[in-house]
Amino acid sequence: MTTSYSVFRDESKLDINYIPSKLPHREKEQRLLSEFFNFIIQCPTQMTQRVILTGDVGTGKTALAQTFGADLTSQTKRKNLKFHYVHINCREFRGSLQPILHKIVTAFRPTYPARGYAADEILATLMQVLDEEETTLIVTLDEFDSLIEKVGSDAVYKLTRIHETRQGQPQRLSFIFIMRDLNAIEHLDDSAKSTLQRNIIRLQRYGKPQLIDILNDRAALAFTLGAVEDDVIDLTAELAHSQTGNARFGIELLWRAGKYADASELGHISAECIRNAISAIIPTLHRSELASLDFHEKLFLLAIARYFKENQEAYVQIGEAEKAYQVICEEYEEPPKSHTQIWLYVQYLSKLGVLKAEVVSSETRGRANRISLPSIPAAELEQEMNLSLQGKR
């Protein structure tokens, strides 16, 4: 909640889900994307398209796709053309095709059952729905690498060759695939690979001057007039540039610095607020990744954070971690998951770099699994998890 001395005018403009109306220094890529999909306005059902957006974290891949989708939606509406844009993050669904397709179908049929249908059946239903609605659809599959890693060539082939089974019928479904690394494509078989490597748009890392422009744009939308001076924007851009030109990192840094400014009732964001923010940011888990965790993963992380905050220890045995998790589940009135499921959580969170799990040998206990929190302060993680779980109790 903002206060009378708050530096924020509209902090939602710094949220990871905010879609900006313009993207500084991505105009060329946006024009190219528009050219690739121009047929949706000129001859909507005569062809289909597949485009890959690739680049490092924070280069604007997601923002570019969403801004393009919103712009194309506005254009088609003005021309009375039926068109839909759907954006899916594959990592939120653990790279599994069936729930991804279900999510797409529910954009048109909200009551479509979540269980009982295989991916092929849901894909057929989607095409039937598009025919019934007489609409075209662009689906953006964000973090498409995770889908390739999980199910490989079969999923890619099904998605990209769907119109080959609909000879003579309207072509309604096109795709944008967002990938950090194109190396994942090399693991596909030749037939699946050939359907992807046609139209690739590569987003280069932002330089510091470009980051200054991006941060100035967001600051003007998010903060009160005069709350952020040029030298503070410059410092933030320098820090974001050191993080491989990650614009998202810089935007999150501004948001956090604003919170420090409000907590101190400064009325403006100082360089010290930025320094406090950079020292407190979770290095391996930003809010965008935190949002993709499921409810019980968040409960388990909260338990781990509380354990290390209350016990001055470097490690916790898996059994003790489970006990701490059961206490949190009781607090949230949730039945705890099984030992096997907990171990899957540990492995997944270790892969993300949040936790570290290892097997150690002991003369008294033999081999045992233990968990550590290698680089995230327990108090900071607890605060982030409480914020994420707010309203879930």
Side-chain angles (χ1 to χ4, degrees):
M1 180 178 177
T2 55
T3 60
S4 57
Y5 52 80
S6 178
V7 297
F8 290 104
R9 180 168 62 184
D10 183 358
E11 67 178 283
S12 70
K13 297 300 189 291
L14 301 174
D15 187 80
I16 58 171
N17 296 313
Y18 171 68
I19 304 173
S21 59
K22 63 174 183 174
L23 288 175
H25 306 292
R26 288 294 178 241
E27 295 86 357
K28 182 182 74 173
E29 292 84 355
Q30 191 158 0
R31 283 195 301 270
L32 185 55
L33 205 51
S34 296
E35 285 298 322
F36 281 139
F37 289 101
N38 188 48
F39 69 90
I40 285 183
I41 291 177
Q42 301 298 329
C43 49
T45 61
Q46 299 304 304
M47 63 181 291
T48 185
Q49 187 60 277
R50 296 176 289 276
V51 175
I52 292 177
L53 296 182
T54 185
D56 289 333
V57 174
T59 52
K61 302 182 297 296
T62 298
L64 173 60
Q66 290 180 324
T67 302
F68 165 73
D71 184 57
L72 187 55
T73 300
S74 297
Q75 288 185 58
T76 52
K77 190 174 293 185
R78 287 196 299 268
K79 295 179 180 293
N80 293 318
L81 297 171
K82 291 187 176 181
F83 167 76
H84 287 78
Y85 174 83
V86 175
H87 196 109
I88 304 284
N89 189 312
C90 296
R91 196 169 294 280
E92 290 182 14
F93 298 93
R94 300 292 192 272
S96 181
L97 184 58
Q98 192 270 354
I100 289 171
L101 290 172
H102 175 264
K103 180 72 174 178
I104 299 169
V105 171
T106 56
F108 299 91
R109 301 288 187 267
T111 59
Y112 187 77
R115 300 181 185 277
Y117 294 99
D120 286 340
E121 295 173 298
I122 302 175
L123 189 55
T125 298
L126 174 61
M127 299 312 299
Q128 181 182 336
V129 168
L130 295 180
D131 284 336
E132 291 171 358
E133 298 285 331
E134 297 183 341
T135 188
T136 51
L137 170 67
I138 293 178
V139 174
T140 292
L141 294 179
D142 209 335
E143 305 228 34
F144 188 59
D145 323 50
S146 65
L147 183 64
I148 293 177
E149 291 168 7
K150 181 74 177 289
V151 290
S153 299
D154 186 52
V156 175
Y157 197 83
K158 286 176 183 175
L159 292 173
T160 57
R161 298 294 182 92
I162 181 63
H163 282 291
E164 292 184 7
T165 65
R166 291 168 50 87
Q167 294 296 328
Q169 298 183 61
Q171 299 191 49
R172 302 191 181 278
L173 179 59
S174 294
F175 288 98
I176 297 173
F177 303 111
I178 297 180
M179 306 177 67
R180 296 185 191 183
D181 189 354
L182 293 180
N183 288 335
I185 296 177
E186 297 306 313
H187 300 296
L188 299 173
D189 61 36
D190 290 341
S191 60
K193 195 184 301 183
S194 68
T195 66
L196 289 179
Q197 293 181 318
R198 295 177 184 173
N199 304 311
I200 299 175
I201 300 176
R202 291 178 172 86
L203 277 64
Q204 301 302 318
R205 293 178 180 178
Y206 292 115
K208 183 180 174 181
Q210 295 174 315
L211 289 166
I212 289 174
D213 291 341
I214 292 166
L215 295 175
N216 270 323
D217 267 19
R218 290 296 185 97
L221 294 170
F223 296 112
T224 57
L225 187 64
V228 191
E229 295 185 357
D230 289 345
D231 60 342
V232 172
I233 292 290
D234 188 274
L235 174 61
T236 308
E238 181 66 41
L239 291 167
H241 187 249
S242 71
Q243 295 287 323
T244 67
N246 189 337
R248 186 191 304 167
F249 180 86
I251 291 166
E252 184 175 336
L253 198 56
L254 278 181
W255 173 82
R256 192 176 290 269
K259 292 299 184 182
Y260 277 98
D262 278 2
S264 302
E265 302 186 16
L266 292 178
H268 69 281
I269 297 176
S270 66
E272 188 63 20
C273 292
I274 298 293
R275 286 191 283 269
N276 282 328
I278 192 69
S279 68
I281 267 188
I282 298 179
T284 54
L285 187 67
H286 291 179
R287 285 183 291 155
S288 57
E289 293 169 309
L290 213 132
S292 70
L293 298 177
D294 72 26
F295 183 55
H296 275 266
E297 284 170 339
K298 292 176 181 178
L299 293 180
F300 182 71
L301 265 187
L302 178 59
I304 292 294
R306 291 238 185 116
Y307 181 91
F308 282 117
K309 183 181 175 185
E310 295 166 5
N311 300 276
Q312 299 302 311
E313 300 174 8
Y315 302 95
V316 58
Q317 300 293 329
I318 186 69
E320 292 299 315
E322 282 192 62
K323 290 178 184 176
Y325 161 72
Q326 288 163 4
V327 170
I328 297 295
C329 285
E330 187 175 335
E331 182 179 324
Y332 280 80
E333 299 181 347
E334 278 283 316
K337 299 293 184 180
S338 66
H339 172 81
T340 302
Q341 186 62 55
I342 293 300
W343 182 237
L344 290 175
Y345 291 160
V346 171
Q347 291 176 308
Y348 180 65
L349 293 167
S350 297
K351 186 178 178 181
L352 287 182
V354 187
L355 304 178
K356 182 178 180 182
E358 55 188 333
V359 179
V360 294
S361 298
S362 167
E363 292 182 3
T364 56
R365 296 186 178 183
R367 293 169 66 81
N369 294 305
R370 69 180 187 180
I371 302 167
S372 61
L373 204 58
S375 56
I376 305 172
E380 179 73 10
L381 181 59
E382 181 190 37
Q383 180 182 349
E384 291 287 343
M385 297 316 304
N386 280 330
L387 188 65
S388 183
L389 288 163
Q390 205 168 42
K392 301 290 187 182
R393 194 182 303 272

